[in-house]
């Protein structure tokens, strides 16, 4: 019974303080000043009740908002707008992901884009050749018919068999290789460029890949373009300055006997000159597995006023078959910034594999 008077005194104290402070004092502070166990238990009970009411109120508000969102129908155009924003956001993310691609993937992208561009140029070149051959055959056929008409007065006479054979022979020669020697530095036969032993490519800021009109990636022809047979303006490997080198792993081991250097003519050059063509160059064989000593095989001069395809006999014989050769360019024909190589071939006698 002694606890009840204390509780009443605490309640009276609570009312007294509330009146003096204008209702601004806290229940927790007053009960704490009383210091009785009953007051402490009452404070904890009020806290629990207030917390439970607050949580229940928040749950009811969240449930109401959820049901309102489900029942609300947004306009159809707004949904299309949101879908469009999401699509462009996805495209932007993919583009940023491409920009963050590792160096290996960027190199692969460059090679693939170069391959596509080269294939497109080859198609255009072949189309032009086909048109020229069609015109030549048409003119030849018209000439044969008029010749037959003048000789026999019979316009239905077929062209002589000798003339048809001659035309076929000319077309066959056009398709054949002018050098008439096996090329062991041909990429499609298995040859390749060892980039670790090759000069760096010339960086041309004007040569860029474009995406929606924005240039974002510079590119250059790879060194192994000199191991491919398609030669037309711009399809060359360029390196800075007038001196450089390229290390080539041949398609198989051979006893090298000759090399061939090919460049475009000044007549088909867009600039009207071929000052970037190589002038003095030397050939070296590499012993062992492309990592041995260099063996000097000869030094030559490419004549820019001569034939576009020039073959040189090597000046030194080797006693063993070689798998790798190094081409060293010692000077060009006057271009101050870079030197261009179009095609390089290696000829010889097959050795032991």
């Amino acid at each position: 019974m002694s606890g009840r008077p204390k509780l009443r005194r605490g309640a009276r104290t609570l009312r007294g303080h509330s009146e003096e402070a204008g209702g601004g004092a806290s229940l927790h502070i007053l009960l704490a000043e009383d210091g009785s166990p009953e007051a402490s238990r009452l404070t904890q009970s009020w806290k629990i009740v207030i917390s439970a009411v607050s949580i229940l109120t928040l749950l009811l508000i969240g449930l109401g908002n959820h049901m309102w969102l489900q029942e609300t129908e947004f306009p159809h155009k707004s949904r299309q707008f949101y879908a469009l924003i999401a699509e462009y956001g996805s495209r932007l993310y993919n583009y940023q992901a491409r920009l963050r691609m590792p160096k290996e993937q960027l190199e692969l992208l460059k090679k693939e884009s170069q391959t596509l561009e080269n294939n497109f140029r080859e198609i255009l070149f072949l189309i032009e050749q086909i048109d020229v051959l069609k015109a030549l055959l048409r003119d030849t056929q018209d000439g044969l018919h008029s010749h037959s008409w003048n000789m026999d007065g019979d316009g239905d006479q077929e062209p002589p068999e000798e003339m048809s054979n001659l035309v076929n022979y000319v077309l066959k020669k056009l398709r054949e290789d002018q050098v008439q020697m096996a090329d062991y530095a041909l990429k499609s036969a298995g040859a390749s460029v060892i980039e670790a032993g090759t000069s760096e490519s010339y960086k041309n800021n004007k040569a860029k890949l474009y995406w929606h009109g924005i240039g974002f990636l510079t590119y250059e022809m790879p060194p192994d373009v000199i191991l491919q047979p398609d030669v037309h303006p711009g399809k060359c490997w360029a390196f800075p300055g007038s001196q450089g080198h390229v290390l080539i792993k041949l398609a198989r081991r051979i006893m090298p006997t000759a090399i061939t250097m090919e460049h475009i003519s000044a007549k088909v050059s867009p600039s009207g000159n071929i000052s970037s063509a190589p002038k003095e160059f030397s050939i070296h064989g590499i012993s062992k597995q492309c990592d041995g000593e260099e063996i000097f095989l000869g030094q030559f001069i490419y004549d820019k006023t001569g034939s576009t395809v020039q073959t040189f006999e090597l000046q030194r014989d080797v006693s063993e078959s070689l798998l790798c050769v190094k081409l060293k360019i010692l000077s060009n024909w006057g271009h101050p910034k870079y030197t261009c190589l179009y095609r390089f071939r290696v000829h010889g006698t097959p050795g032991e594999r």
Side-chain angles (χ1 to χ4, degrees), residues 80-253:
Q80 291 180 345
F81 177 71
Y82 296 148
L84 185 62
I85 291 177
E87 180 182 357
Y88 277 99
S90 177
R91 291 183 181 180
L92 179 61
Y93 174 79
N94 293 333
Y95 175 67
Q96 292 175 343
R98 286 196 297 270
L99 293 179
R100 293 193 298 266
M101 284 191 298
K103 184 177 180 181
E104 294 78 8
Q105 295 185 8
L106 288 177
E107 293 294 335
L108 180 60
L109 177 61
K110 287 197 296 184
K111 291 182 180 180
E112 290 178 353
S113 63
Q114 290 168 4
T115 302
L116 291 175
E117 181 183 2
N118 296 339
N119 291 340
F120 180 71
R121 289 182 178 177
E122 291 174 10
I123 291 173
L124 293 179
F125 181 70
L126 291 176
I127 290 175
E128 293 177 358
Q129 285 187 327
I130 291 173
D131 292 339
V132 172
L133 289 176
K134 284 182 178 179
L136 177 63
L137 289 175
R138 186 165 52 250
D139 294 342
T140 303
Q141 188 176 10
D142 293 341
L144 290 174
H145 278 294
S146 62
H147 176 74
S148 300
W149 178 265
N150 293 333
M151 293 294 295
D152 301 332
D154 185 6
D156 297 332
Q157 183 177 357
E158 294 295 329
E161 183 178 356
E162 292 80 5
M163 186 61 69
S164 298
N165 292 337
L166 178 60
V167 172
N168 292 331
Y169 175 78
V170 172
L171 293 176
K172 181 180 179 181
K173 284 297 181 183
L174 288 174
R175 291 191 294 265
E176 286 182 350
D177 193 344
Q178 300 178 22
V179 179
Q180 292 295 299
M181 287 189 291
D183 178 16
Y184 294 97
L186 187 63
K187 181 180 179 180
S188 60
S192 61
V193 169
I194 301 176
E195 296 190 3
T198 302
S199 299
E200 292 185 359
S201 300
Y202 175 72
K203 306 296 183 182
N204 185 4
N205 293 328
K206 295 182 179 180
K208 290 185 176 182
L209 295 178
Y210 288 87
W211 183 79
H212 290 272
I214 302 175
F216 67 94
L217 187 65
T218 58
Y219 73 96
E220 60 276 342
M221 289 291 178
D224 60 6
V225 72
I226 69 174
L227 309 182
Q228 303 177 38
D230 48 335
V231 175
H232 54 269
K235 186 68 177 298
C236 65
W237 172 58
F239 59 85
S242 59
Q243 295 185 349
H245 55 273
V246 55
L247 180 60
I248 302 170
K249 182 179 180 181
L250 304 176
R252 61 169 299 168
R253 287 185 172 274

Side-chain angles (χ1 to χ4, degrees), residues 302-339:
Y302 179 85
D303 184 7
K304 70 173 183 176
T305 62
S307 172
T308 58
V309 181
Q310 300 178 23
T311 300
F312 304 89
E313 298 291 334
L314 295 181
Q315 300 167 353
R316 178 181 176 180
D317 296 331
V318 293
S319 57
E320 60 175 331
S321 59
L322 301 175
L323 184 61
C324 289
V325 296
K326 177 177 281 190
L327 168 63
K328 293 184 177 181
I329 306 299
L330 306 177
S331 64
N332 63 19
W333 283 97
H335 201 289
K337 293 184 178 180
Y338 59 84
T339 303

Side-chain angles (χ1 to χ4, degrees), residues 68-88:
W68 178 78
L69 289 174
Q70 287 185 340
E71 294 175 357
T72 303
E73 295 183 358
F74 292 97
H76 185 65
K77 292 184 178 180
S78 298
R79 293 181 180 178
Q80 291 180 345
F81 177 71
Y82 296 148
L84 185 62
I85 291 177
E87 180 182 357
Y88 277 99

Side-chain angles (χ1 to χ4, degrees), residues 19-33:
E19 292 173 358
E20 293 174 2
S26 153
L27 175 64
H28 171 72
I29 296 175
L30 296 175
L31 293 178
E33 290 176 352

